[in-house]
Structure formats: structure tokens, C-alpha cells
Amino acid sequence: MRVKRTAALPFLVTAVLIGVAACAGGAPAPSPESRAPAPSATATPTPTPIDPIAAWVDERMSQLTLEQKSAALLMLHAPGTDPAPLRALVDAGASGLILMGDNIPATPAELAALTAALEVDPEAPPLIGIDEEGGEVQRLHWDDAASAEGLRAAPPAASRDAFSLRARYLADGGISANFGIVADVTADPGSFIFGRVLGTDPAGSADRVAAAVEGERGVVASTLKHFPGHGAAPGDSHLSVPSAPLTIDEWRAGPSLPFQSGIDAGAEMVMTGHLAYPAIDAAPASLSLEWHRILRDDLGFDGIVVTDDMLMLQHNGLPEFADPGENAVRAVAAGADLLLYVLPADPAEFGISVSSLAGAIAAAVQNGRISEERLDDAVTRVLTMRRALST
């Protein structure tokens, strides 16, 4: 499975032929009085190119109910190497699956067989994502590409080569999206994220992040994480909502640079972190309208915005994040396109199901908390990537 980042799509263009009559030789020329005024020249309208993927998405969108659109914003996990529980999530309407360590079988061939068994709709394969950074966060035990520990001390070309190899391992296993490019930056060895960053200063990180995106180009979808930057926010976002003390100008001069570099290099996805920058917005970035605006308008990102695992919010002990349906609504309303959930074997343990999450989002559209335009924009982005996987 290969991802096309900027591949040209075929256009259906109608050719217009214009015949021009010539005077026959020897025929008498018409008198000046009999000559009709020459029609004024008009430009032939240029037919509008038809993008077949966009046309397919429009048609599919017209067939979806509000609840089906809402379910299409979900990327979920079920433990184990039995494809049935994973496939059931796609059958229920989820657009994607995230594979964790417990989903990875013994061999690459077995992984490819597992992912092949997850296809429900050949016209729109599910997005299959994985956190394959290398080093501290690595799911494929056969991934021998260099990790951040070595890459941040090496020239940027080493990051390109490492992520090129890593992307091939993933694509050969049927994985289409890598949540593996850490665009966070810190020089603090005591930081939760230090062992995973590609650079200890913004410029060095930016060069290596761009190189990593280049390495994955055209093979798997690249994801930059954890926007707007975990390095400036001390603490572990699995346990709390870490807070960064930076102003917007300080952020622009530092943590923003690797994200901007990766976006400019063509990353298709950005993962928002459950991180707060109170000087910009007190809400976690994953639920922040302002951070999504900055990402779209200031950094120019036009791809899919995916959240970090939404259960991290639910389990951090803060009462305002205890309701999974409310968290989902807030994320979509803020600008998220894809909501990530690393679920246990029984999602009901945490009060979660595909239908309950989709129902919460659909109800928010009906009562005006989420506009139909916002929902359709998110679904369009996700379906466009899914459709591209089959072409």
C-alpha cells in the first residue's frame, strides 16, 4: 500500500475542434456591400478538470447519514492479532485502525496478512496507522532503522535514510500512516520526551524532521507530533495536561519551527497533543480552536489533523475530561479531523463504543455545537486519503 503525496490525478478534458472555412480559389469575391460583419472573436471556454478522487468523495458523502459521517472520524484499536475484532470496528463505520505492539505478529508476512484481512471496502481501504518512531517507541521488532538517539547527532540525511527504510517496512506490512516523526524539541535530558526528539534545538530538529518526511514521501503518510510541541511543556501527557510557559512569539521562534519545516516538506498529517500553552489558550491543543486556527492559517497545514489518544485525556484524573462523548465533541468542534482511541478488548470498560462516540458527534451537529460544514470538511479530508490508497 503506497501513499501518493502530490501525484497528478487524471483529468477528463473535452477537446473542442473548430473548423474554419476557406474561400474556394477562383470564386468571385463578395462585394464590400454584401460582406457580413465578422463576428467578434470569443475565447473557447476551458473545461473544468474533473478530479476523480474528489468526484468519488462527493458521491460517497451524499450517501452517508449524519451518524455514518460522525463514525468516519474515528481511528480505533483492538488488542490482539486476530483480525476479527479490528475488522468489526471498520464494519461499524470507523475510518481507521491504530496498531499497537499487541497487534504485531511474529513476521512481516503475518503482519501483511493481518492488514489485508481488515479491508471492508475496496474503494476506500481503512487508514492503518502505527507509532513507529524507532527506539523508545517501536512496534515492529524487525525495524532496524536508526532511532532518534543516533539521528539527532547525525547529519539530516541520516534521518531521511532511516525513515525511508522504516517506511518500506511499514508499507510492506500494509500500514498506510506512520505516527512516527517527533517534531517536539528539547535539550533537557530530564524531559519526558527527550529520548524521542530528533533535535535538541529548533533549527536542528527542523532539518531532521523535514528529512524524515522526505524519507517517507510517497510510501506512507507522514505525521508530525505532538503539536504545538511537547518539549516546552514539562510532564507526561499520558498522566496530566502538561503546561508550557511560552508566549506566542516565543513559540513561533522555537517549537513551531520543526512543525513548519515538516509541513513545508509535505507531511500529510499533524497530531495534536494534550498540551496547554495558557498564554495562547488554556485548553489542551487537541481541544483548542485557536491552536487549530494557528495550524491551518499561520502554518498553512491543509492535511488531516489527528488527535493523540483521546483516552489519555479521559484518564488524567481531571473531571472536565471524564466524559468521552464530550471530549469527542470538543475535539471535532475545535478542528480535529480524526480522533484516535487506543481501546481495550472491551471498550465499554471506559464507556466507549463506535455508536456512542458517533452519536455524541451527530447530536452536537444537530444542536449546533458542531457545524455541518465542519463535519463535512473533516470527513472529506479523511475519505480523500482513504480513496487515494486504492488508486
Side-chain angles (χ1 to χ4, degrees):
M1 198 177 293
R2 296 293 188 269
V3 172
K4 297 177 183 176
R5 205 179 242 97
T6 55
L9 298 174
F11 295 139
L12 304 179
V13 180
T14 303
V16 179
L17 302 178
I18 302 175
V20 179
C23 295
S31 67
E33 293 79 6
S34 67
R35 290 191 184 111
S40 59
T42 57
T44 304
T46 301
T48 302
I50 298 174
D51 179 340
I53 291 181
W56 181 92
V57 170
D58 287 346
E59 175 64 22
R60 176 61 64 92
M61 289 276 286
S62 71
Q63 301 170 10
L64 298 179
T65 66
L66 180 58
E67 288 73 16
Q68 288 172 325
K69 288 181 181 179
S70 300
L73 305 189
L74 304 178
M75 175 176 269
L76 309 171
H77 166 262
T81 56
D82 180 355
L86 290 159
R87 186 183 173 105
L89 296 171
V90 182
D91 284 331
S95 276
L97 300 166
I98 178 169
L99 302 185
M100 304 297 286
D102 56 20
N103 300 120
I104 307 304
T107 67
E110 289 174 302
L111 175 60
L114 170 64
T115 57
L118 303 178
E119 185 176 284
V120 171
D121 180 357
E123 292 190 342
L127 300 177
I128 300 180
I130 195 168
D131 295 302
E132 192 65 19
E133 301 171 15
E136 289 186 15
V137 178
Q138 180 171 323
R139 313 303 184 201
L140 307 185
H141 47 268
W142 55 86
D143 177 1
D144 55 0
S147 66
E149 184 178 9
L151 293 175
R152 59 177 170 258
S159 293
R160 180 199 62 217
D161 295 344
F163 279 86
S164 177
L165 176 58
R166 185 162 288 125
R168 290 199 297 273
Y169 288 144
L170 296 178
D172 289 346
I175 294 167
S176 49
N178 187 19
F179 302 141
I181 300 179
V182 176
D184 308 311
V185 55
T186 181
D188 178 10
S191 169
F192 157 76
I193 204 73
F194 177 78
R196 300 160 59 188
V197 300
L198 290 170
T200 56
D201 66 274
S205 176
D207 289 344
R208 288 162 181 80
V209 164
V213 173
E214 180 184 347
E216 292 187 336
R217 180 172 295 137
V219 183
V220 295
S222 295
T223 308
L224 312 176
K225 63 183 187 183
H226 308 78
F227 184 81
H230 209 319
D236 182 347
S237 55
H238 294 84
L239 307 174
S240 64
V241 177
S243 179
L246 304 187
T247 66
I248 187 64
D249 289 339
E250 290 170 330
W251 175 80
R252 286 180 176 137
S256 75
L257 300 182
F259 289 98
Q260 185 70 75
S261 180
I263 290 167
D264 292 345
E268 293 91 349
M269 305 177 79
V270 170
M271 178 181 287
T272 52
H274 305 310
L275 315 164
Y277 281 63
I280 293 92
D281 191 341
S286 52
L287 308 182
S288 166
L289 183 64
E290 178 61 9
W291 276 117
H292 284 80
R293 185 202 66 76
I294 290 170
L295 179 59
R296 296 293 191 197
D297 295 348
D298 297 356
L299 272 62
F301 181 63
D302 195 37
I304 290 176
V305 178
V306 58
T307 69
D308 206 345
D309 179 12
M310 294 293 287
L311 288 191
M312 291 163 58
L313 273 179
Q314 190 176 340
H315 294 161
N316 66 19
L318 297 173
E320 61 263 43
F321 306 124
D323 182 343
E326 175 65 14
N327 292 341
V329 168
R330 290 181 64 186
V332 176
D337 303 311
L338 197 59
L339 311 184
L340 186 64
Y341 292 84
V342 181
L343 298 175
D346 182 8
E349 177 183 347
F350 301 129
I352 288 177
S353 66
V354 172
S355 61
S356 66
L357 291 172
I361 295 168
V365 175
Q366 292 172 325
N367 66 30
R369 288 188 66 191
I370 298 172
S371 70
E372 288 191 46
E373 182 182 13
R374 166 81 277 271
L375 178 66
D376 286 353
D377 179 64
V379 179
T380 296
R381 293 178 194 277
V382 173
L383 285 181
T384 297
M385 183 175 284
R386 291 180 61 188
R387 178 60 175 167
L389 295 175
S390 69
T391 61

